[in-house]
Amino acid sequence: EVQLVESGGGLVKPGGSLRLSCAASGFTFSNAWMNWVRQAPGKGLEWVGRIKTKADTGTSDYAAPVKDRFTISRDDSKNTLYLQMSSLKTEDTAVYYCATGAATGLGYWGQGTLVTVSS
Amino acid sequence: DIVMTQSPDSLAVSLGERATINCKSSQSVLYSSNNRNYLAWYQQKPGQPPKLLIYWASARESGVPDRFSGNGSGTDFTLTISSLQAEDVAVYYCQQYYSTPPTFGGGTKVEIK
């Protein structure tokens, strides 16, 4: 059974940093493109970014609102995806989901972790 | 970026009746080399993460009931629930994954009339 479990969310002040983790199991993590998607309270879904497999260059892409502030990385030896967030803004407040996916949509999602940016 | 526009924002349908959600993309999401539309539909129930229903615009994900169907090509797509069940109350999103960044529609809330 595929499982994605996010952790690391919490309350952080504007300008602060936070690192989210997503522990994966039940599939070959190293073969999966991995994504982060967020959802502000009461709002819709917003793609944050993704990281390709090492076989597909291992590079990352980001949405414009987070580019140069967020960094996605992966540790295939630990089956874990990361989202390093810095220079956080109040508008980054959201539930952050990790999700697998590439050519057939985002197939598996975690339950999400809440990040609240507030003074 | 490709803009995805869903309509309506919400709809109320009687149990057993048909529900239709529309999704329009600002440019074509049809990849000519394989003739596939890079369009997915998701269902999100309250307090839960989204769930993939449809990919390639019309391919049903494993385990998804056949009352859910997707249609369309190019820039215009629909998700149809042929006979609405109580458990289908949710918000539905379309998403294009033709180009980066992948973008979502604003969502359509489906309720029971």
Side-chain angles (χ1 to χ4, degrees):
Chain A
E1 179 195 4
V2 171
Q3 279 203 314
L4 296 170
V5 180
E6 301 93 339
S7 60
L11 176 63
V12 61
K13 288 182 167 52
S17 299
L18 206 58
R19 189 179 82 157
L20 306 183
S21 300
C22 169
S25 61
F27 65 102
T28 305
F29 180 75
S30 60
N31 289 348
W33 289 27
M34 296 299 297
N35 299 259
W36 288 99
V37 177
R38 69 184 180 183
Q39 187 169 36
K43 301 298 184 183
L45 301 170
E46 180 184 24
W47 181 81
V48 171
R50 71 159 168 244
I51 187 166
K52 300 177 182 178
T53 63
K54 287 188 168 47
D56 290 327
T57 73
T59 55
S60 302
D61 298 293
Y62 300 92
V66 308
K67 192 173 171 59
D68 299 326
R69 297 190 299 122
F70 290 11
T71 300
I72 298 173
S73 60
R74 62 191 301 157
D75 186 337
D76 291 343
S77 69
K78 295 182 178 178
N79 290 344
T80 302
L81 174 73
Y82 301 100
L83 179 65
Q84 178 68 49
M85 304 184 292
S86 61
S87 302
L88 282 161
K89 306 175 181 180
T90 55
E91 53 263 43
D92 295 319
T93 293
V95 173
Y96 284 74
Y97 298 100
C98 63
T100 64
T104 54
L106 302 175
Y108 296 99
W109 298 64
Q111 289 296 313
T113 187
L114 176 62
V115 173
T116 303
V117 184
S118 174
S119 54
Chain B
D1 297 1
I2 297 178
V3 176
M4 306 300 291
T5 303
Q6 284 184 236
S7 63
D9 292 336
S10 64
L11 74 160
V13 176
S14 300
L15 288 172
E17 296 300 305
R18 178 184 300 260
T20 301
I21 300 168
N22 302 297
C23 175
K24 188 173 183 68
S25 57
S26 61
Q27 63 189 76
S28 176
V29 298
L30 174 63
Y31 195 40
S32 56
S33 66
N34 60 10
N35 203 38
R36 292 190 187 276
N37 289 280
Y38 282 53
L39 189 285
W41 288 96
Y42 301 86
Q43 174 193 64
Q44 187 178 31
K45 297 180 180 179
Q48 295 185 20
K51 172 188 174 183
L52 177 65
L53 297 177
I54 303 282
Y55 59 93
W56 299 136
S58 60
R60 204 177 296 114
E61 178 73 338
S62 176
V64 173
D66 59 8
R67 62 180 181 273
F68 291 93
S69 63
N71 266 296
S73 185
T75 61
D76 291 280
F77 302 90
T78 57
L79 175 70
T80 300
I81 309 172
S82 60
S83 176
L84 191 74
Q85 305 299 304
E87 61 265 32
D88 300 334
V89 169
V91 179
Y92 293 84
Y93 296 92
C94 62
Q95 180 219 10
Q96 67 79 20
Y97 50 99
Y98 176 88
S99 68
T100 302
T103 46
F104 292 90
T108 296
K109 187 174 185 179
V110 174
E111 299 171 308
I112 305 295
K113 186 188 292 183

